[in-house]
């Protein structure tokens, strides 16, 4: 008991920070899931994958039918395979819990790294609070589960153990970053180059060479995945589908050549809206502004970290899809550890006012993050998913509890086509389609109250429902103001549940 009290007093600051932000993060990710603010793309995809893996079979990617026959032919991520046994314990919360714990683990990695760097517990605690206040974490938590979020949280540990020259642990976290997703492997190339550059500046050529080896290993893995593994798993004739950089080239090779061949155009693309649609004006500027307010100016004072961010910036602003340019969803998470480590490395070099500058930087980050949660230029921003301090985040305009209970009326072995917000709750089954793809489904589950009717608009959505009912092939199984479940008419012993308000 005495030792426990001493531990609590000595570490009260870091315990308070972790406790506070754990509650905040949980209030975003878990409340969103319960309130049907998680989606088929991407949480439902991951749920169906871990369901198959937990039953010792490859995932046939039912949520992405008919586009894919194996989820690994879209993104080559091995995390769901590793996490899948926990499906038996945590069910539909599995991947969100994994991501939640990973973010906390990443925060502890920041604490360890800054403590090793500065030997100053106060600054280390401020750095963790700063990391947990970074806008990209809230945007990521507000939108499902993504492998790159988890991989990002291993980066501080990789940098820490590389700096300490503890090579077994360095390799462990390096491998964990690689297997997250193919673009994380590309990022690892530049993490290695950044560490090599830092070692050269410190006149440690042997360590610089090791950093270079890590970069080469990551590059080989990246090329192997996108040129060999993914094409071998994909539908015949289909190659890697995420070469979404047509402003610079049709594939990674062309992009790389054109970056050097047309440097002025490359610089222009860093800042301009190349979609041709004025709707997306200002999104890139907002991203740079958000990064600077979070402490990103420091990367120009610590160029090793600027090197590490090259592929992250490039894959954002050169992309064909404007939503990826912005600060929403999971498209900014990789900036978090690099910006924070760069900032506190620069603060550490200062001769005085270190703690004061750390507090000031934290304050600016918190204010800017809240401001961006309230208002942003980025399109398709779901405010209610992110603003944990808003009453609208905690409730829906229908009985969430009742919808959960009614969805349980669908048999576990039934073939289902479901609307996006329902899929994560029904995807632990062999057959689950993303509505309006119906195929051989026996049930159609629709969340009528959800404003997200993707990929349909309101008109086509309502017309399709009318057509299904009018066809005689489907009958109403459940009908409330919020939920509609249709059942195939040719099933044996059809039943009907109807609830009026």
């Amino acid at each position: 008991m005495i030792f426990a009290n001493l531990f609590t007093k000595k570490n009260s600051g870091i315990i308070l920070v972790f406790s506070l932000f754990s509650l905040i993060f949980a209030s975003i990710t878990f409340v969103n899931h319960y309130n049907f603010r998680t989606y088929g793309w991407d949480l439902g995809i991951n749920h169906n994958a871990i369901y198959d893996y937990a039953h010792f079979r490859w995932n046939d990617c039912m949520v992405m039918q008919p586009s894919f026959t194996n989820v690994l032919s879209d993104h080559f991520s091995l995390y769901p395979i590793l996490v899948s046994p926990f499906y038996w314990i945590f069910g539909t919360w599995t991947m969100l819990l994994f991501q939640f714990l990973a973010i906390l683990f990443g925060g502890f990695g920041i604490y360890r790294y800054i403590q090793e760097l500065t030997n100053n517990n106060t600054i280390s605690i401020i750095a963790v609070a700063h990391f947990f206040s970074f806008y990209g974490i809230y945007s990521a938590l507000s939108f499902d589960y993504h492998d790159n979020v988890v991989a990002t949280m291993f980066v501080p540990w990789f940098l820490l153990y590389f700096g300490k020259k503890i090579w077994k642990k360095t390799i462990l976290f390096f491998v964990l970053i690689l297997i997250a997703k193919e673009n994380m492997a590309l990022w690892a190339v530049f993490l290695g180059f950044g560490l090599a550059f830092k070692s050269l500046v410190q006149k440690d050529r042997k360590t610089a060479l090791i950093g270079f080896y890590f970069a080469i290993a990551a590059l080989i893995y990246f090329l192997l995945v996108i040129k060999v593994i993914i094409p071998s798993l994909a539908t015949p004739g289909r190659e890697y589908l995420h070469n979404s950089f047509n402003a610079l080239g049709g594939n990674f090779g062309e992009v790389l050549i054109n970056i050097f061949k047309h440097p002025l155009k490359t610089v222009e693309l860093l800042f301009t809206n190349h979609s041709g649609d004025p709707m997306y004006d200002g999104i890139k500027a907002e991203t740079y502004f958000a990064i600077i307010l979070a402490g990103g100016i420091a990367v120009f004072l610590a160029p090793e970290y600027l090197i590490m961010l090259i592929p992250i910036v490039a894959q954002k602003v050169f992309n064909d899809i404007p939503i990826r340019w912005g600060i929403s969803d999971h498209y900014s998470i990789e900036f978090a550890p690099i910006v924070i480590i760069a900032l506190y490395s620069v603060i550490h070099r200062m001769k005085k006012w270190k703690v004061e500058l750390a507090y000031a930087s934290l304050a600016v980050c918190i204010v800017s993050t809240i401001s961006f949660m309230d208002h942003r230029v980025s399109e398709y921003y779901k405010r209610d998913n992110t603003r944990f301090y808003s009453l609208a985040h905690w409730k829906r305009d229908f009985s969430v509890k009742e919808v959960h209970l009614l969805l349980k009326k669908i048999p576990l072995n039934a073939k289902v086509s479901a609307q996006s917000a329902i899929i994560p709750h029904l995807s632990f089954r062999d057959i689950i389609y993303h509505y309006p793809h119906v195929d051989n489904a026996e049930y159609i589950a629709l969340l009528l109250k959800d404003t997200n009717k993707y990929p349909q608009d309101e008109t086509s959505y309502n017309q399709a429902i009318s057509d299904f009912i009018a066809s005689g092939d489907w009958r109403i199984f459940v009908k409330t103001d919020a939920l509609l479940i249709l059942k195939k008419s040719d099933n044996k012993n059809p039943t009907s549940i109807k609830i009026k308000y």
Side-chain angles (χ1 to χ4, degrees), residues 380-422:
Y380 311 114
Y381 171 52
K382 303 177 183 69
R383 296 170 80 242
D384 292 343
N385 293 35
T386 313
R387 299 166 72 243
F388 62 92
Y389 48 83
S390 167
L391 180 61
H393 171 72
W394 294 85
K395 56 186 292 187
R396 298 295 302 265
D397 58 350
F398 59 88
S399 173
V400 172
K401 181 178 180 181
E402 183 177 65
V403 171
H404 279 292
L405 290 173
L406 290 173
L407 287 174
K408 292 181 180 179
K409 301 288 184 179
I410 300 175
L412 291 175
N413 62 346
K415 302 170 185 177
V416 179
S417 174
Q419 194 170 326
S420 185
I422 294 178

Side-chain angles (χ1 to χ4, degrees), residues 57-270:
R57 58 179 180 245
W58 287 116
N59 176 243
D60 48 11
C61 209
M62 300 308 300
V63 180
M64 302 173 78
Q65 292 283 359
S67 301
F68 295 90
T69 56
N70 188 315
V71 71
L72 295 176
S73 66
D74 179 36
H75 286 298
F76 192 74
S77 173
L78 301 184
Y79 286 170
I81 296 176
L82 299 178
V83 176
S84 61
F86 294 99
Y87 140 81
W88 298 102
I89 303 172
F90 301 111
T92 69
W93 305 95
T94 304
M95 301 308 291
L96 296 177
L97 180 62
F98 177 48
Q99 180 174 258
F100 168 78
L101 293 175
I103 291 173
L104 297 180
F105 185 66
F108 190 58
I110 292 289
Y111 177 73
R112 288 282 310 277
Y113 187 98
I114 303 303
Q115 199 170 45
E116 184 75 21
L117 175 70
T118 66
N119 197 31
N120 186 312
N121 195 53
T122 299
I123 290 179
S124 301
I125 293 172
I126 297 171
V128 175
H130 197 152
F131 176 73
F132 284 154
S133 300
F134 194 91
Y135 74 89
I137 290 180
Y138 298 85
S139 292
L141 284 170
S142 73
F143 180 38
D144 289 15
Y145 163 87
H146 294 93
D147 300 297
N148 63 309
V149 177
V150 176
T152 296
M153 300 305 142
F154 295 136
V155 170
W157 295 95
F158 171 64
L159 300 181
L160 170 68
Y161 288 120
F162 184 95
K164 291 169 68 71
K165 301 181 181 180
I166 302 177
W167 302 121
K168 288 184 179 180
K169 291 183 178 179
T170 304
I171 293 171
L172 170 64
F173 286 106
F174 176 71
V175 170
L176 287 174
I177 294 167
L178 291 186
I179 66 173
K181 193 184 288 186
E182 64 281 354
N183 65 326
M184 293 294 98
L186 181 60
W187 186 22
V189 175
F190 288 82
L191 292 175
F193 284 145
L195 289 170
F197 176 84
K198 180 180 179 181
S199 299
L200 285 175
V201 171
Q202 295 172 342
K203 299 182 179 180
D204 186 347
R205 293 186 177 182
K206 183 178 179 180
T207 304
L209 189 60
I210 294 174
F212 182 75
Y213 288 153
F214 275 112
I216 296 302
L219 180 61
I220 292 171
Y221 179 82
F222 170 73
L223 293 174
L224 180 65
V225 167
I226 67 167
K227 293 295 185 181
V228 179
I229 298 177
I230 287 180
S232 71
L233 296 172
T235 303
R238 174 176 286 174
E239 296 185 355
Y240 184 62
L241 295 181
H242 297 280
N243 294 313
S244 305
F245 308 97
N246 288 306
L248 283 172
N251 56 56
F252 286 112
E254 290 180 9
V255 169
L256 187 61
I257 291 171
N258 287 327
I259 284 174
F260 292 100
K261 192 175 180 179
H262 305 288
L264 293 180
K265 180 182 179 181
T266 300
V267 172
E268 180 184 348
L269 288 172
L270 288 171

Side-chain angles (χ1 to χ4, degrees), residues 417-431:
S417 174
Q419 194 170 326
S420 185
I422 294 178
I423 288 176
H425 304 273
L426 294 180
S427 51
F428 290 147
R429 62 186 66 239
D430 290 334
I431 306 294

